[in-house]
């Protein structure tokens, strides 16, 4: 199960037939395992890793540190519930250390992100402070290295 | 003016460069090519293995090691051979570390060959055995293995070629370029031919970790074979460590101590930083090997099926990272086929004849490439086959 998940996390395009070969199982068995993992919410979805810098699309990513005042009745989870449903937000993590949440956010421009923080995030009840950090360049995301070398460094004449 | 021709050794002069030189010259001149020619992993050596070498350098471990290699690495190799293949070799007296599997093969040949001795080499196979055997003074005796037998050496073929002069049998399995792997029964049959003879087996097990759906079995584990077997292996293929030049020899101590003399004078010792990396690889690298094996396995399936869809059949490879499809049905020689594929589609595969005459009609395709690259190459091959058919070639 763990091996199957590790392989799918690395490459979601692997077909059940390929996974069967890689894990020495029957294709049907793999299909059943995946169906079960999807049904019980272990597999939450399949997405594509896009290097948007290769396109004309304008975008900016930001990482925002958020400090909050925990609520008596629901602790951090209740505050997280309010933040996570904002559609602009791509990631939300409860942190140890000097602040409470990390929010990952994508906007069209820095201004848009700044407005979002000022108008939607900071005013939330219990949020006591925010610090916005803009991403300047992505080198690696979700285990995938960006800017892969285009040329195969191996000598094609060596057999 | 100096006349070089009279100076070179006769054996070297008589050693021909690769039979497919023309194809290689062509390939060298072509710029942007979708190549499936490379005989080494596309993975980078796992980081923790690289780190072990970096640390050794940071700590200033830049000296020679013992001729046979560090004690720690030899111990690791010994326990690895036992853990993975059920083989028992004493770390101190029956294993030494070489500069890649290539040195191991060269040392083994040169340690045994007297002029005129015969060395039996089943082909198609990796290109080095025949020239190295000749350089050592041997007469190579070639066995042309057949696709019908899954490219495996059979006991009957072997028996036919044995003479009074036979000194050594090269056993290159898992095989480059065919991907053939010998099963226990097949090894038993070969062992039965060898029992009672005075023939040494040089078992090149460099691809031992890369078998699919079955475990590699060393001929040394077959009854009565250990005493006559030299295992040549290394780190290149299993751990993606080709550039480190790290291999080893394992053999009974009577053999090993003699071979060590040659290594001691010719090489001194394998690179020290590589030895530290190799120890880490064998200690902590099982998961890396497992992942790479699974990746190759998936590509193996994809390329086998992909070729089949185009109408090109192959013996399903069971090891290494090559497939050896039949391309002889189009009225072209292997070299012509590969040259035209290169010229017309800018896709490179290796003519089977590079690996011996037995490879005529076949080509070696490496699947040590990303699936995207393999897909691109397959579509080029498919287009080429359509073109050949339109010319009235093939069916």
């Amino acid at each position: 199960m763990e091996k199957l998940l590790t392989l799918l996390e690395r490459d979601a395009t692997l077909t059940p037939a390929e996974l069967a070969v890689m894990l020495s199982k029957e294709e049907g068995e793999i299909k059943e395992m995946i169906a079960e993992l999807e049904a019980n919410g272990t597999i939450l979805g399949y997405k594509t890793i896009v290097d948007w810098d290769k396109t004309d699309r304008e975008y900016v990513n930001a990482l925002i540190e958020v400090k909050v005042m925990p609520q008596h009745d629901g602790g951090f989870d209740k505050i997280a519930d309010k933040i996570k449903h904002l559609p602009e937000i791509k990631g939300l993590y409860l942190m140890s250390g000097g602040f409470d949440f990390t929010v990952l956010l994508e906007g069209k421009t820095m201004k848009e992100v700044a407005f979002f923080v000022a108008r939607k995030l900071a005013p939330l009840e219990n949020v006591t402070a925010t610090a916005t950090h803009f991403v300047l360049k992505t080198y690696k995301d979700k285990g995938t290295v960006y800017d892969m070398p285009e040329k195969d460094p191996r000598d094609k004449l060596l057999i | 003016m100096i006349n070089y021709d009279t100076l070179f050794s006769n054996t070297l002069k008589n050693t021909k460069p690769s039979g497919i030189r023309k194809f290689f010259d062509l390939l060298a001149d072509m710029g942007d090519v979708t190549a499936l020619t490379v005989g080494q992993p596309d993975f980078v050596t796992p980081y923790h293995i690289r780190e072990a070498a970096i640390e050794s350098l940071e700590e200033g471990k830049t000296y020679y090691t013992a001729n046979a290699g560090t004690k720690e690495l030899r111990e690791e190799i010994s326990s690895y051979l036992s853990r993975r293949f059920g083989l028992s070799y004493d770390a101190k007296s029956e294993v030494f570390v070489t500069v890649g599997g290539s040195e191991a093969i060269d040392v083994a040949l040169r340690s045994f060959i007297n002029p005129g001795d015969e060395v039996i080499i089943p082909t198609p196979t990796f290109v080095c055995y025949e020239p190295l055997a000749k350089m050592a003074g041997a007469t190579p005796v070639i066995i042309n293995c057949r696709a019908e037998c899954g490219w495996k050496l059979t006991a009957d073929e072997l028996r036919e070629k044995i003479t009074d002069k036979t000194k050594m049998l090269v056993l290159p399995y898992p095989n480059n370029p065919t991907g053939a792997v010998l099963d226990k029964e097949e090894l038993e049959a070969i062992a039965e031919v060898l029992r009672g003879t005075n023939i040494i087996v040089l078992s090149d097990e460099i691809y031992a970790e890369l078998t699919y759906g079955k475990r590699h079995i060393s001929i040394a584990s077959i009854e009565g074979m250990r005493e006559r077997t030299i295992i040549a292996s290394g780190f290149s293929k299993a751990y993606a460590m080709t550039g480190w030049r790290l291999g080893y020899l394992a053999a009974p101590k009577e053999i090993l101590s003699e071979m060590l003399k040659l290594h001691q004078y010719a090489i001194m010792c394998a690179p020290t930083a590589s030895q530290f990396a190799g120890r880490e690889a064998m200690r902590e690298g099982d998961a890396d090997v497992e992942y790479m094996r699974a990746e190759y396995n998936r590509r193996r399936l994809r390329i086998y099926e992909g070729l089949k869809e185009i109408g090109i059949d192959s013996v399903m490879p069971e090891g290494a990272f090559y497939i050896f499809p039949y391309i002889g049905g189009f009225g072209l020689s292997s070299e012509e086929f590969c040259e035209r594929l290169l010229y017309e589609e800018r896709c490179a595969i290796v003519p089977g004849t590079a690996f011996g005459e037995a490879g005529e009609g076949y080509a070696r395709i490496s699947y040590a490439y990303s699936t995207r690259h393999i897909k691109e190459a397959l579509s080029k091959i498919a287009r080429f086959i359509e073109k050949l058919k339109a010319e009235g070639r093939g069916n």
Side-chain angles (χ1 to χ4, degrees), chain B residues 312-313 325-335 337-338 349 351-352 361-363 385:
Chain B
I312 297 181
D313 287 326
Y326 177 64
I327 45 129
F330 302 98
L332 298 171
S333 72
S334 293
E335 207 167 337
F337 182 97
C338 295
I349 59 178
Y362 297 84
I385 299 295

Side-chain angles (χ1 to χ4, degrees), chain B residues 116-118 161-167 198-199:
Chain B
D117 285 347
E118 291 178 353
K161 296 285 182 182
I162 290 177
T163 70
D164 295 346
K165 292 179 184 162
T166 306
K167 177 68 73 72
N198 215 23
I199 297 172

Side-chain angles (χ1 to χ4, degrees), chain A residues 49-50 61 90 93 104 138-146:
Chain A
I49 297 160
V50 180
N61 278 314
K90 284 168 81 179
Y93 312 91
L104 292 181
T138 306
Y139 295 98
K140 190 176 184 178
D141 195 16
K142 307 222 166 37
T144 299
V145 172
Y146 283 44

